[in-house]
Amino acid sequence: MSDNTSALTVDEVSKVYNTPLLELIYKAATVHRMHNDPAEVQISSLISIKTGGCSEDCSYCPQAARYNTDIDVHKLMTVDQVTEAAQKAKMGGASRLCMGAAWREVRDNRDFDRVLEMVKAVNSMDMEVCCTLGMLTESQAQKLSDAGLYAYNHNLDTSAENYKSIITTRTYDDRLNTIKNVRKAKITVCSGGIIGMGESVEDRVKMLVTLANMKPRPESVPINALVPVEGTPLEDQPLVPIWDMVRMIATTRIVMPKTVVRLSAGRTQMSAEGQALCFMAGANSIFAGDKLLTTPNPDFNADKELFNTLGLTAREPFKNSERIKAKSTEILQN
Ligand code: SAM
Ligand code: DTB
Ligand code: SF4
């Protein structure tokens, strides 16, 4: 399924997803080896630059103002706080810093100007800079690109059909439109979803079909296992079985052979063996650091040990991306 010219169908991808598990892992591992170095894992570090108080109703999210959750709400961080966190992340082996803000959309105000300063500062530290700030207009995407933004994360989360049962305050088309604006500004696209929200297998497959049929495909696809947070409508969802996570990652790898597949939220719920199967099935990125945005993540030493045990190494920043490397050098020199 490496052909990016003919559109994949739900039937084709369902067949992949429903392949007997060991066969599926074997196929995904084979595809992974044909297109990527299986020993190399890209490490991203997350920082929540503005936490909580969000106007949206995403039913999984502890940062929505309308739910009563126990998080440390804070307004936009300073540029210095961000560069300090970026330095720490870099020392820990992260090649990418992803800055998340609990915004519905970006507004053209002083906060956005400060985010542009953050992007410039982190870019000058020779790290890939990623942002996830909600919806973007074309001109906002261009400003982020001019500041040196490498990637923009904007998840589809689930299928178009299931979207309304998870979020009512925006539409699937709003999501797709922001992704289009990001592409137009020549920023790489990071877009994936969450499993374990009560969706059907068909919803999972349909989301992958939408992502795999994008032209070009997203450069990275995060697969999150729901972290059920007390106070959110999804607080009582059962934890995602590891087998579902492995299946989802393997299918993502087979339908998008060259994409960076990120084993994202939910790793604290997984054993080392479970995560090893995810790497075997083609996951080649993680979020490292003891916190995601508001919820815990495995600690640094546990990940180091896991990498040592499995023989995995951290990927260098800007690999496979001469154009963007040139762009960052240009910004550095100016
Ligand atoms: N506000 C921006 C937006 O929604 O696009 C950016 C931040 S938002 C927290 C980024 C992503 O985190 C969401 O799209 C969702 O996929 C993921 N996420 C949020 N809460 C989660 C949870 N409890 N479990 C797993 N993933 C979650
Ligand atoms: C993504 O797909 N997962 C990350 C990142 N992109 C921004 C966020 C996970 C958030 C998990 C819940 C929390 O910590 O608040
Ligand atoms: Fe707001 Fe993003 Fe959370 Fe939705 S996922 S409530 S938009 S911070």
Side-chain angles (χ1 to χ4, degrees):
M1 298 197 170
S2 58
D3 180 3
N4 203 5
T5 54
S6 58
L8 289 172
T9 65
V10 174
D11 263 4
E12 283 171 322
V13 179
S14 293
K15 268 195 199 118
V16 176
Y17 186 96
N18 291 310
T19 306
L21 188 62
L22 291 180
E23 185 64 18
L24 177 61
I25 296 172
Y26 176 73
K27 281 192 177 143
T30 308
V31 169
H32 190 35
R33 273 154 185 72
M34 281 163 62
H35 297 275
N36 310 289
D37 175 353
E40 201 177 70
V41 173
Q42 186 259 334
I43 298 182
S44 291
S45 181
L46 266 176
I47 161 170
S48 184
I49 57 171
K50 185 264 173 186
T51 307
C54 184
S55 60
E56 298 287 83
D57 71 352
C58 311
S59 45
Y60 48 76
C61 186
Q63 301 199 64
R66 64 191 74 202
Y67 311 140
N68 190 9
T69 58
D70 182 21
I71 56 165
D72 289 330
V73 174
H74 68 77
K75 55 184 189 6
L76 189 65
M77 283 180 165
T78 63
V79 177
D80 285 348
Q81 283 172 315
V82 168
T83 48
E84 204 178 298
Q87 195 57 45
K88 228 172 116 188
K90 193 175 174 182
M91 304 292 277
S95 62
R96 176 179 291 194
L97 187 78
C98 178
M99 302 189 271
W103 285 331
R104 173 177 202 268
E105 77 254 296
V106 167
R107 306 224 170 119
D108 294 297
N109 57 18
R110 275 189 292 182
D111 275 359
F112 183 43
D113 293 340
R114 197 192 295 171
V115 172
L116 294 172
E117 289 308 312
M118 292 173 185
V119 171
K120 281 186 199 152
V122 179
N123 190 52
S124 72
M125 295 165 71
D126 206 25
M127 287 182 95
E128 297 172 8
V129 198
C130 173
C131 280
T132 181
L133 313 168
M135 292 184 272
L136 286 184
T137 63
E138 228 180 295
S139 87
Q140 289 162 344
Q142 192 53 54
K143 283 184 186 160
L144 285 164
S145 176
D146 293 342
L149 190 75
Y150 183 87
Y152 196 78
N153 167 249
H154 204 63
N155 290 337
L156 294 182
D157 284 336
T158 185
S159 67
E161 291 79 357
N162 190 39
Y163 203 70
K164 293 174 285 299
S165 75
I166 304 294
I167 298 154
T168 67
T169 47
R170 57 169 187 254
T171 66
Y172 214 61
D173 280 345
D174 289 333
R175 285 316 256 188
L176 294 170
N177 197 38
T178 290
I179 293 173
K180 225 182 262 166
N181 291 338
V182 169
R183 270 279 170 239
K184 276 191 204 148
K186 299 197 166 34
I187 297 167
T188 66
V189 171
C190 171
S191 186
I194 308 178
I195 65 170
M197 303 187 293
E199 72 288 339
S200 64
V201 164
E202 193 170 332
D203 290 318
R204 295 176 185 174
V205 166
K206 283 183 168 167
M207 180 186 83
L208 291 182
V209 168
T210 306
L211 292 168
N213 285 339
M214 285 180 178
K215 283 184 183 159
R217 287 174 175 150
E219 283 78 3
S220 66
V221 174
I223 303 294
N224 297 277
L226 176 74
V227 181
V229 179
E230 207 181 315
T232 63
L234 297 181
E235 64 181 358
D236 291 326
Q237 277 298 312
L239 293 184
V240 171
I242 187 66
W243 309 123
D244 286 26
M245 198 65 185
V246 174
R247 237 179 226 294
M248 189 68 182
I249 285 187
T251 309
T252 309
R253 171 53 66 216
I254 292 170
V255 301
M256 290 176 268
K258 293 181 186 159
T259 291
V260 171
V261 179
R262 185 165 305 113
L263 170 58
S264 301
R267 288 198 301 121
T268 49
Q269 303 150 201
M270 297 171 203
S271 66
E273 295 86 342
Q275 294 179 60
L277 279 174
C278 292
F279 292 123
M280 188 73 197
N284 59 348
S285 172
I286 55 164
F287 285 116
D290 54 10
K291 210 168 174 196
L292 290 165
L293 289 172
T294 64
T295 62
N297 198 40
D299 81 40
F300 179 73
N301 289 327
D303 279 342
K304 207 169 163 194
E305 199 181 317
L306 183 64
F307 271 44
N308 283 341
T309 306
L310 302 179
L312 298 174
T313 56
R315 171 174 163 160
E316 300 276 302
F318 303 110
K319 219 175 154 186
N320 304 339
S321 170
E322 288 315 310
R323 186 192 69 77
I324 293 176
K325 180 149 191 160
K327 185 168 147 183
S328 62
T329 317
E330 187 190 308
I331 288 166
L332 263 174
Q333 285 163 351
N334 288 334

